[in-house]
Amino acid sequence: MKAFELLEKKVFIDLFAGCGGLSLGLMRGGWKGLFAIEQSPDAFKTLKYNLIDEDNDSELSLRYDWPDWLEKAPLEISAFIKMYEKEIRSLKGEITLVAGGPPCQGFSFAGKRTGDDPRNELFEHHLEIVDMVKPVLVLMENVQGISVGFKNNPKGTGSKKEAKKSYAAKIKKKLYDHGYEVFQEVIWAKDYGVPQLRPRFFTLGISRDYFNQELGFSGLEGKLKEIRENFLVCKYRGLGWNSPVTLEEAISDLLVSGKEVVPCTDEESPRGFQEPLYQEPKTTYQEIMRSGLKHKQPNSMRLPRHKQETLEKFEKILAKAPKGKALPSELRKELGINKKVIVPLAPDKPSKTLTTLPDDYIHYSEPRILTPREYARVQSFPDWFSFKGKFTTGGRFRKKECPRYTQIGNAVPPMLAEAIGIALLDLLRSIKQGGQLQ
């Protein structure tokens, strides 16, 4: 009977939690968060304000049930294991799901993809904690590039055969060796109400103490498709059911044109910046994003201060370049742009997958980059969710700091995470009703 009790607990911990997108979605999907581990002070500040502190604007049910033994502070994963091994092991039988998204920079095709990136190995710590607490489910999110092998092994070590093996394959084998049936697949955020393509690679492990072939479980996406209609049509008023939510449907109420612009109200922004006043929603998606906002103006609405030369280039790009595609090389040459990836976004389609670099994209109708709040909208963060820390950073600080654009760009879209949370609860019910416990 104790095994059945673990199915009923519905408790998760979030490793490599970032600013809290995955946790927020899981909580909204009916899960109970115990705690989250995140090493970036900036990202943890955002997570703490929204999902730990009690004096903010979020729903009271969306809080971790934080244990007394764990400090509410940023913490590197290996240090967490070393400092709290005894306490972690005591959670065996209490944690239903260990979730998280180990850093993906070493796998991403959008960056300097390299097998030498030490962050590639951080999934080992994820599995180490799995081995300690023995959850029913393990969930890992990453970029698609994790499923593609590197041309060479890091630093020339290992065999050529091993070099071609992707990290996804390594994770699958190790998770299987830890006692889990493993399912891996690419899931697109656009299919679950998020106004962004954002294909992501998910690994789901189900403990073989619970898994039964008679469940007929073929993968996470199959379960997501089973709950999709109820999720989008019943819970979110048909949002994205027949066609994906477009970028214009997501952020048209945040346009600057024709609006009063006032000094930026964000306490962490230097003086001299401005933001548009928040006005009435125009679409169902915008109404949903505004739900629960208790104050008049969400944070992170700050407008960029582009140089006149940049504004003129952006105006020419909007006039000449096709929307939703990278700039043609001829136009880049004409405008003297060396940057390889600049995309004027298309209003009538879901956004391209957001990166952590806001200057990769230009607003679909205004000569500027998106604001952090627009970034958050595209990621499906509700407007009450406040971001903390610097807005941007650069140079040598890029490896040390995690500004707001980076926090948002790295996050799991909360709406996708919510759908996944509901699907996983449905899976637990199936296990309890038809599974055969050993």
Side-chain angles (χ1 to χ4, degrees), residues 194-214:
V194 181
Q196 179 185 188
L197 299 177
R198 205 168 189 87
R200 280 300 183 268
F201 190 89
F202 283 87
T203 296
L204 175 65
I206 307 174
S207 170
R208 286 200 291 277
D209 289 340
Y210 296 83
F211 184 77
N212 188 326
Q213 295 291 347
E214 294 180 4

Side-chain angles (χ1 to χ4, degrees), residues 121 319 407:
E121 306 296 333
Q407 293 176 37

Side-chain angles (χ1 to χ4, degrees), residues 11 20 28 38 95 98 111 132 135-136 138 216 239 242 245 257 267 285 294 348 426 434:
V11 175
R28 284 189 147 184
E38 170 54 44
I95 305 300
V98 173
M132 291 181 185
V136 179
V138 179
L239 187 71
N242 293 318
V245 179
S257 304
E267 59 186 17
Y285 183 84
K294 298 176 183 176
D348 57 346
D426 194 55

Side-chain angles (χ1 to χ4, degrees), residues 149-247:
F150 293 97
K151 293 182 179 179
N152 297 298
N153 252 342
K155 300 178 182 178
T157 62
S159 66
K160 291 183 179 180
K161 182 178 180 181
E162 188 67 18
K164 293 179 180 179
K165 191 175 182 181
S166 70
Y167 270 83
K170 294 177 184 179
I171 290 171
K172 183 173 185 177
K173 183 181 184 305
K174 292 199 173 189
L175 192 53
Y176 182 87
D177 291 343
H178 280 251
Y180 290 81
E181 290 293 322
V182 185
F183 302 85
Q184 295 181 318
E185 58 210 309
V186 173
I187 295 172
W188 293 69
K190 68 176 179 63
D191 294 331
Y192 301 94
V194 181
Q196 179 185 188
L197 299 177
R198 205 168 189 87
R200 280 300 183 268
F201 190 89
F202 283 87
T203 296
L204 175 65
I206 307 174
S207 170
R208 286 200 291 277
D209 289 340
Y210 296 83
F211 184 77
N212 188 326
Q213 295 291 347
E214 294 180 4
L215 288 172
F217 184 78
S218 59
L220 179 57
E221 187 169 30
K223 184 60 69 173
L224 278 167
K225 288 179 178 178
E226 289 179 19
I227 63 95
R228 184 174 181 267
E229 180 176 2
N230 187 63
F231 177 68
L232 293 178
V233 176
C234 299
K235 187 167 187 178
Y236 283 117
R237 294 182 281 170
L239 187 71
W241 174 243
N242 293 318
S243 59
V245 179
T246 68
L247 180 61

Side-chain angles (χ1 to χ4, degrees), residues 263-294:
C264 181
T265 58
D266 197 298
E267 59 186 17
E268 294 184 277
S269 175
R271 293 183 179 181
F273 286 90
Q274 294 183 312
E275 64 184 27
L277 284 180
Y278 196 55
Q279 295 186 0
E280 293 301 310
K282 300 179 179 180
T283 68
T284 298
Y285 183 84
Q286 293 167 16
E287 291 174 355
I288 290 168
M289 290 298 103
R290 290 164 177 254
S291 177
L293 184 69
K294 298 176 183 176

Side-chain angles (χ1 to χ4, degrees), residues 33-46:
L34 184 61
F35 62 80
I37 302 300
E38 170 54 44
Q39 71 171 353
S40 163
D42 300 312
F44 190 85
K45 186 176 182 181
T46 294

